[in-house]
Amino acid sequence: MKRLNYQAMVNFFSPDVKGNPCEDHCILQHSNRICVITLADAHPVLQKGKAIERISYQISANCSRLQNKVSGKSKRGAQFLTELAPLCRIFCSDGEEYTIYSCIRGKLIEVNENILDNPSLLQAKPSTEGYIAVVLPKFEESKSVTRGLLTRKEYEDILLKRFNLIS
């Protein structure tokens, strides 16, 4: 991935993706509208320090995110994603499996192949080198793409409620 200034990114959150408790995703949106999909801090893979066995971008028999070939300024050939499009699957040594979703509409620009060989990056540096994918929303949707996502403050409020229910 080209070097992005992570200080220039705004964090948005999608909690309990597809109704799965605590399976929270984080979307880092840069001022140039590029969005980086990562795991949120409260995701079980990060929160519980699960051992990652492997990560797969093979979504179905006919769909692999690794086959995404993008070229040119208009990003020709990019796979178009909806909010609930799966990006990858994380397989943990305890048998748990987590599907990571796009959470936003746009063109899949890049997947992070580095986490295939080094899955620990996902846990050690989830917001930088351990990102999942890079998505570029349509220009006309770039402002509205984060509607339905939570700001950091709103997400922290949800985490507080969750924590109070647990303890």
Side-chain angles (χ1 to χ4, degrees):
M1 178 169 77
K2 292 179 182 165
R3 297 297 280 165
L4 287 175
N5 178 0
Y6 285 93
Q7 271 70 9
M9 296 188 127
V10 178
N11 294 13
F12 292 96
F13 298 88
S14 182
D16 304 330
V17 176
K18 287 195 81 174
N20 298 316
C22 301
E23 290 191 29
D24 305 346
H25 297 18
C26 177
I27 297 85
L28 307 171
Q29 187 178 43
H30 195 274
S31 58
N32 65 6
R33 75 190 167 110
I34 286 178
C35 295
V36 178
I37 313 302
T38 69
L39 295 180
D41 293 338
H43 193 284
V45 170
L46 301 179
Q47 194 68 31
K48 297 178 182 174
K50 292 183 170 263
I52 300 173
E53 204 169 85
R54 67 185 175 91
I55 297 169
S56 174
Y57 284 108
Q58 187 73 38
I59 302 309
S60 67
N62 298 324
C63 180
S64 171
R65 300 298 181 208
L66 291 172
Q67 300 305 313
N68 191 57
K69 300 294 180 219
V70 180
S71 66
K73 188 176 179 181
S74 63
K75 309 303 180 203
R76 280 184 304 279
Q79 297 172 12
F80 189 79
L81 305 171
T82 63
E83 296 91 336
L84 296 177
L87 290 171
C88 72
R89 290 196 173 82
I90 301 170
F91 299 90
C92 297
S93 59
D94 64 0
E96 290 286 329
E97 178 184 326
Y98 300 95
T99 301
I100 308 305
Y101 297 91
S102 173
C103 299
I104 58 170
R105 291 170 40 91
K107 290 183 176 182
L108 179 61
I109 303 303
E110 174 182 318
V111 295
N112 185 1
E113 293 184 38
N114 293 330
I115 61 174
L116 296 175
D117 296 327
N118 190 359
S120 64
L121 280 175
L122 199 61
Q123 293 165 311
K125 300 178 179 186
S127 297
T128 55
E129 290 139 64
Y131 70 97
I132 305 284
V134 178
V135 177
L136 181 64
K138 288 182 178 179
F139 182 76
E140 57 274 10
E141 293 180 6
S142 61
K143 297 283 188 238
S144 64
V145 77
T146 56
R147 264 192 224 125
L149 299 176
L150 304 179
T151 63
R152 177 167 292 285
K153 172 73 176 110
E154 292 167 329
Y155 181 62
E156 287 172 352
D157 290 345
I158 290 215
L159 292 180
L160 278 173
K161 288 177 189 167
R162 242 189 234 164
F163 180 74
N164 287 336
L165 287 175
I166 293 169
S167 54

